[in-house]
Amino acid sequence: MWFSFWRSKDRFSLDQLRYLADQLTKVHIVNEVNKDFVIEALRSIAELITYGDQHDPSFFEFFMENQVVGDFVRVLKLSRTISIPLQLLQTVSIMIQNLQSEHAIYYMLSNEHMNFLITYSFDFRNEELLSYYISFLRAIGGKLNKNTISLLVKTRNDEVVSFPLYVEAIRFAFHEENMIRAAVRAVTLNVYHVGDHSVNRYITSAPHTDYFSNLVSFFKKQCLDLNKLISDTLKNPVPDSKATITAAVDEIEDNLYYFSDVISAGIPDVERLITDSILTHLIFPVLLPSLRIVAANGIQSDVVTSLYLLCCILRIVKIKDLANTIVAALYYPLESLTKCFGGQDNGMIPDHGFTSEGDGIANDSLAKDNKKGLVVNVPCSPSSSGFHPQSITMLNNGSSSNVALREVLLEYVTDGADLQVFGSLSVLATLLQTKELDESMLDGLGILPQRKQQKKLLLQALVGEASEEEQLFSSETSLTRDGIACELDVYLEKIKEQYGVSFQLPNVIPSPRVPRFQVLDALVSLFCRSNISAETLWDGGWLLRQLFPYSESEFNNNHLKLLKISYENSACALEKEVKGFWPDLLITVLCDEWRKCKRAMDSSSPPKEPKCMLFPPRMFFSEEDIPEGSSFTAGERMHELVKVFVLLHQLQIFTHGRTLPEQPLIYRPYDHRMDSRAQSSGLVSVPKPGTEMNLVNAVPCRIAFERGKERHFCFLAISVGTSGWLVLAEELPLKKPYGIVRVAAPLSGCNVCIVVCYPCILILKHAVLLAENCTNLCWFPFRKNP
C-alpha cells in the first residue's frame, strides 16, 4: 500500500495534463519567481498534446474544452521577460507541426488566437525571438490548404480584406539572415500554391503588389554585388575568391528558382507582375545596355556578368512573354534602350546599371589573366583570318550604338575575348533550349535547329498554307518571312506600349537564311581563331551540331576552305608534340579526347554550364615564370592541342557528310624489337606477379635483400603496342630458361636504355633503380627533358 502511495506520477497521462492546465490558469503574474514553472508547464503541455494526438484523442478534447490556448495568450500578455515569449512560440510551433488530426489542426487555426500571436508586438531586436517567430509562421504555413486558409483571413463581401500571416511574413522577406529569408519564401509559396482565388486577388492588389517589385529590386542588388565582386576579383584576386563568387552565384540562382516556384503556382497576375518587374528593373536598364562592344584586347566584367544573368533568367524563369520579349529586344540597337531609360551609350545607367568605376584596371587584369591561361596559338594562314571586316572595324572604333544587340552577340563570337565568346555562345545555346520561345523567333535569330525548321515547313505544306514544292524545297519563302515579322511585331509593339521603348524595324524583312548564315559565318570564324581555349571551341562545336545536325549542304566553299586550313594548322601544331615531352601519351590522350568530344557534341546540353564564364581561366604559369623544360606545362599544352585538333577533325568529317567513327583511325607505331621480346617471353598482356615467362632475352643479375643471401633475378624491357613494362623475374632452377614475375613497373611506350653494372643494374630514362650496398631496391619514376 505504501509503495503505491509513493510511486512516481505518469508524465504522459491525462491527469498530468489536467494538473498543468489547472496550474496555468492560476498564474496571474509572471515574474522571476515563477517564470521557470511557467516555461516548464508550456513545454510539458506541448509534449502531452503531441503524444495524445497520436495515442489518446481525449488529451486534445480536454485541451479544447478548457481553452488552454486562451491561457497561452493570457500568460503572454502578463509576461515581462523574454523567456516566456520564446517558450510560448516554441510550444505552439511544436504543436502545430506535429498535429496529424485534421480536427486538431482546424481547432488550432479556427479561433483568433493564432492571428493574435502573429500580429503581437514581439521585441524582434532579440535575434533568438525572431528566429522562433519565423519558425512559428512557417509551421502555420505548412498546414495551409483550401480548407484551412479561410480560417486565417478576414473577409468582407466574399473578398479578403486581411491576411496577417502573409502580411507579417513578407515584412522579413529581405532580412539579412539567409535562413529567415528562406523560411519567409516557404510561407509565401504555401500561400500561392493553395489556389484560393480570393486570396490570389488579395496578394495581387495594392499595396501587396509591391512585394514582387521589391523582390526584383533585391535580386537586382544581388546582381550588382556580383558584378562588383567579379570586378574586384579581377583587380585583386585572393585565394578564396572562387568560393566567394560561387556563394554569390548560388544565392542568385536560389532567387531565380524562387521566382520559378512562384510562377508555377499558376497565378496569371503574379506572372505578369514578375515579368514586368524583371524587364523594367533589370533587363532593359541594366543587362542589355551592358552588352556594349569593347575593344578586343580587353574585357569588362559587367559584360560577362550580364551574359551570365541573361542565361540564368532564360534557363530558370519559365515565362513565355519574358523570353520572347528579351529576344525581341535583341533586335534593338543599344542607343534606343539607353535613350529610353536615361542611360549613357556605354551601358552605365546612373544608380541602375553596373558600376564601371575602375573597369580599365579590371580589363587589363583580365587581359593578363587570359594571357596567363593556357591558350594554344595555332599559326593561321592569312587566308584564314575572319571574314567580317566591317565588324572588326566597328570593334576597334568602339561604335556600337546603332548595332542591334543580336549582332553584338555575334561580334563577341568572332572577335571577343575567350570569356566573351563563351558568354555569347551560352546565351545562344540557352535561347536554343528555351521551350517558351516561339520557333519563329528562333528562326529570326538564325538559331532554329534544322530538324525543327524542316518539320515546320512540312506542317505548313500539309495544311496547305503554300504549295508543297514551295514549302519543302525552297528555303526563302515569303510565308516564313511574314510569320517571323508577325510574331516579332507583336512583341515589338508590346515593348513600345508597356515599356516605352520604340524602334522601327526595316520595312524589308530579310530572308530567314540571312540570320542563319550570319550565325554560321560567326561559328566558322570562331573555329579559325587561335586565341580561344579548347573548352570554348567545344561549346561552339556543340552549337553548330545542334543547328545543323545532319546536313553538310549549309556550308559553302568558303566555310569548307577556312575549316580545312584551320584543321591543317592544328594538325601541324600537334605534329610537333611528337618530339616534345609526352609523345608516349599522345595517342592515349587523343583516343580519350575523341570519345569525350563525340559524347559532348551528341549531348543535349552544352559541355560547360553558364556559370563557368564568371571564373577566370585556369591559371598556369606566365611565360616568364615557366621553368625551362617544365613537363607539367608541356603536358597541359599537349592536352589543349589535342582537344582543339579532335574538334576540328570531327568537324571535317561532319562537314563532308561522313559518319563519325567511335574511335579515331590511328596507326599505332611500335618498336618491333620490344614487341618481339614480348612475343618470345610469352606475354601478351599486362605482366602480373606470379606469371610464368620465358627469360631468353633477359639480363641476369643477383640481388641481396639480406646480408649474405643473394637471389638470382632477371630484368627484361618489353612492350605491347604503346604500353611497356620493366619486369623483374626470378629464375626457376628446375625449369630454365623460365622464371616467375615478381615486380612489373609500367613504362608508357618508352625507349629503354639498359646499363649493366654488377652487382646493381641502373635502368635509365623515366625510371631509376637505386641500390644502397645492394640491400634496398627502390623505384623513383620521374620526367626530364629528353
Side-chain angles (χ1 to χ4, degrees), residues 328-396:
L330 295 180
Y331 288 90
Y332 282 73
L334 177 63
E335 183 181 10
S336 61
L337 292 173
T338 53
K339 280 183 179 180
C340 176
F341 289 93
Q344 299 175 0
D345 217 20
N346 59 358
M348 294 166 53
I349 314 299
D351 298 328
H352 292 280
F354 286 144
T355 303
S356 299
E357 184 178 355
D359 266 350
I361 302 175
N363 297 344
D364 295 339
S365 176
L366 188 53
K368 293 179 181 178
D369 290 341
N370 283 337
K371 292 180 181 178
K372 291 181 182 180
L374 185 63
V375 178
V376 179
N377 294 311
V378 179
C380 294
S381 169
S383 62
S384 65
S385 58
F387 38 88
H388 296 277
Q390 181 180 0
S391 304
I392 296 175
T393 303
M394 182 166 50
L395 269 175
N396 294 332

Side-chain angles (χ1 to χ4, degrees), residues 226-497:
L226 175 65
N227 182 70
K228 184 177 184 302
L229 177 62
I230 295 175
S231 179
D232 293 343
T233 301
L234 295 176
K235 290 184 288 186
N236 300 305
V238 294
D240 61 343
S241 59
K242 183 174 182 179
T244 305
I245 294 176
T246 301
V249 166
D250 291 342
E251 192 169 352
I252 282 178
E253 293 189 357
D254 286 343
N255 277 281
L256 289 175
Y257 279 113
Y258 174 63
F259 288 149
S260 178
D261 292 338
V262 171
I263 293 164
S264 66
I267 307 175
D269 289 338
V270 171
E271 181 177 310
R272 176 184 54 79
L273 288 169
I274 291 179
T275 300
D276 292 344
S277 297
I278 291 178
L279 290 171
T280 56
H281 288 74
L282 188 62
I283 300 294
F284 290 148
V286 179
L287 298 188
L288 294 183
S290 295
L291 300 180
R292 57 195 182 281
I293 297 179
V294 296
N297 60 351
I299 179 172
Q300 290 175 315
S301 59
D302 51 352
V303 175
V304 178
T305 308
S306 297
L307 292 171
Y308 162 73
L309 291 172
L310 283 174
C311 291
C312 277
I313 292 172
L314 290 167
R315 182 168 51 92
I316 299 175
V317 185
K318 305 293 186 180
I319 303 178
K320 180 178 180 180
D321 280 350
L322 177 63
N324 284 280
T325 303
I326 291 175
V327 170
L330 295 180
Y331 288 90
Y332 282 73
L334 177 63
E335 183 181 10
S336 61
L337 292 173
T338 53
K339 280 183 179 180
C340 176
F341 289 93
Q344 299 175 0
D345 217 20
N346 59 358
M348 294 166 53
I349 314 299
D351 298 328
H352 292 280
F354 286 144
T355 303
S356 299
E357 184 178 355
D359 266 350
I361 302 175
N363 297 344
D364 295 339
S365 176
L366 188 53
K368 293 179 181 178
D369 290 341
N370 283 337
K371 292 180 181 178
K372 291 181 182 180
L374 185 63
V375 178
V376 179
N377 294 311
V378 179
C380 294
S381 169
S383 62
S384 65
S385 58
F387 38 88
H388 296 277
Q390 181 180 0
S391 304
I392 296 175
T393 303
M394 182 166 50
L395 269 175
N396 294 332
N397 294 336
S399 77
S400 58
S401 301
N402 296 320
V403 180
L405 293 174
R406 173 189 169 276
E407 296 179 10
V408 171
L409 292 178
L410 297 182
E411 290 300 329
Y412 282 139
V413 174
T414 57
D415 299 289
D418 189 86
L419 290 180
Q420 292 173 332
V421 175
F422 175 62
S424 297
L425 292 175
S426 297
V427 170
L428 294 176
T430 303
L431 291 172
L432 182 66
Q433 294 181 302
T434 303
K435 297 180 180 179
E436 289 73 26
L437 277 176
D438 291 327
E439 290 187 354
S440 58
M441 302 292 283
L442 289 177
D443 205 9
L445 289 176
I447 57 174
L448 181 65
Q450 194 177 50
R451 55 181 177 274
K452 289 186 178 181
Q453 189 180 47
Q454 294 185 357
K455 179 181 178 182
K456 177 181 176 182
L457 295 175
L458 179 60
L459 289 175
Q460 290 175 345
L462 292 176
V463 298
E465 293 182 353
S467 67
E468 296 181 1
E469 291 185 357
E470 180 185 7
Q471 289 294 329
L472 291 176
F473 301 106
S474 176
S475 300
E476 301 188 28
T477 63
S478 60
L479 182 62
T480 305
R481 291 195 296 272
D482 293 342
I484 295 174
C486 180
E487 293 290 342
L488 186 59
D489 285 342
V490 170
Y491 287 99
L492 290 176
E493 188 66 25
K494 180 179 179 179
I495 293 175
K496 179 180 179 181
E497 292 180 357

Side-chain angles (χ1 to χ4, degrees), residues 668-686:
R668 296 175 174 267
Y670 61 93
D671 190 326
H672 293 276
R673 294 178 302 164
M674 304 291 281
D675 190 67
S676 63
R677 290 178 188 169
Q679 295 177 359
S680 60
S681 64
L683 293 175
V684 295
S685 61
V686 179

